[in-house]
């Protein structure tokens, strides 16, 4: 999970919860070393990150010292407007995308992917209030509205805030199976998740 000042809290905390809770059906172990995912937070530099609403988060790693990533989650929030001019972060996202199994975004995190061409020629989505801005500023991207997430294979984008939970559960379903995603959703008491509905709104 990339985080930065003015990141939307649930954009990264929602997927973080999904990946940290994810288990195969019937696996009630609390041994994190045996968990299928290891969720971590990564910031440009050391020090507290001030999220939307004032929540302070201490990132576990920086862009320079994080472990290799299989899945990248780029969240949104007002901070994406500033990060859109931050070549250090944008270049890091592009570099990670060359090696990840999956590159994902939540909400306006899609803009940071789009700025490095990761969404060019693909379908994508973002927060409903930013659909037109993404469509106008990145015409090479086919922007979809009224969907919770869009899976194009290696790149998955989601709509705003709580939709990141659906996207993360979809990733669990893809990698571990729909039963694991349903089990994880039940552990979270997240009743919205319905694997059969896919990316429907």
């Amino acid at each position: 999970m990339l985080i930065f000042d003015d990141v939307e809290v649930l954009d990264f905390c929602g997927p973080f919860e999904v990946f940290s809770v994810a288990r195969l059906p019937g696996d009630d172990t609390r041994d994190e070393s045996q968990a299928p995912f290891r969720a971590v937070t990564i910031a440009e530099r050391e020090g507290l990150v001030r999220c939307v609403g004032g929540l302070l988060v201490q990132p576990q790693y920086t862009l320079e010292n994080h472990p290799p990533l299989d899945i990248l989650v780029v969240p949104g929030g007002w901070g994406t407007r500033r990060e859109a001019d931050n070549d250090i972060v944008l270049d890091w996202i592009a570099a990670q995308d060359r090696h990840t199994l999956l590159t994902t975004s939540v909400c306006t995190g899609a803009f940071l992917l789009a700025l490095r061409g990761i969404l060019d020629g693909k379908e994508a989505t973002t927060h409903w209030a930013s659909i037109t801005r993404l469509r106008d500023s990145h015409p090479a991207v086919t922007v979809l509205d009224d969907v919770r997430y869009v899976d194009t294979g290696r790149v998955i984008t989601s709509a705003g805030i709580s939709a990141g939970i659906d996207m993360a559960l979809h990733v669990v379903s893809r990698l571990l199976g729909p039963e694991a995603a349903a089990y994880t959703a039940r552990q979270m008491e997240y009743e919205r998740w319905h694997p059969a509905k896919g990316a429907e709104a």
Side-chain angles (χ1 to χ4, degrees), residues 19 69-74 92-105 113 116-124 149-158 167 170-171 174-175:
F19 292 127
L69 304 180
D70 296 308
I71 302 169
L72 172 62
V73 179
V74 178
W92 177 84
I93 290 172
Q96 298 310 304
D97 178 62
R98 290 192 286 272
H99 302 286
T100 53
L101 175 67
L102 296 171
T103 295
T104 74
S105 68
L113 301 189
R116 282 300 182 265
I118 295 170
L119 302 182
D120 284 0
K122 297 181 175 67
E123 294 181 338
Y149 56 86
V150 178
D151 184 343
T152 64
R154 281 198 58 256
V155 179
I156 308 174
T157 55
S158 80
M167 181 272 292
H170 172 70
V171 171
R174 267 189 55 176
L175 299 181

Side-chain angles (χ1 to χ4, degrees), residues 5-60:
D5 283 339
D6 297 315
V7 64
E8 186 69 47
V9 174
L10 199 58
D11 279 16
F12 75 92
C13 285
F16 191 102
E17 179 74 8
V18 170
F19 292 127
S20 62
V21 168
R23 298 290 189 277
L24 295 171
D27 181 1
D28 295 323
T29 181
R30 296 299 172 195
D31 184 355
E32 293 185 1
S33 68
Q34 302 301 311
F37 300 97
R38 179 186 174 214
V40 299
T41 52
I42 302 169
E44 182 179 356
R45 59 184 66 88
E46 294 180 354
L48 291 173
V49 169
R50 184 179 179 85
C51 307
V52 168
L55 177 70
L56 298 177
V57 175
Q58 178 65 56
Q60 294 160 276

Side-chain angles (χ1 to χ4, degrees), residues 173-191:
S173 182
R174 267 189 55 176
L175 299 181
L176 301 181
E179 296 83 4
Y183 184 71
T184 300
R186 179 166 173 74
Q187 287 294 100
M188 294 173 60
E189 297 206 60
Y190 186 67
E191 297 177 1

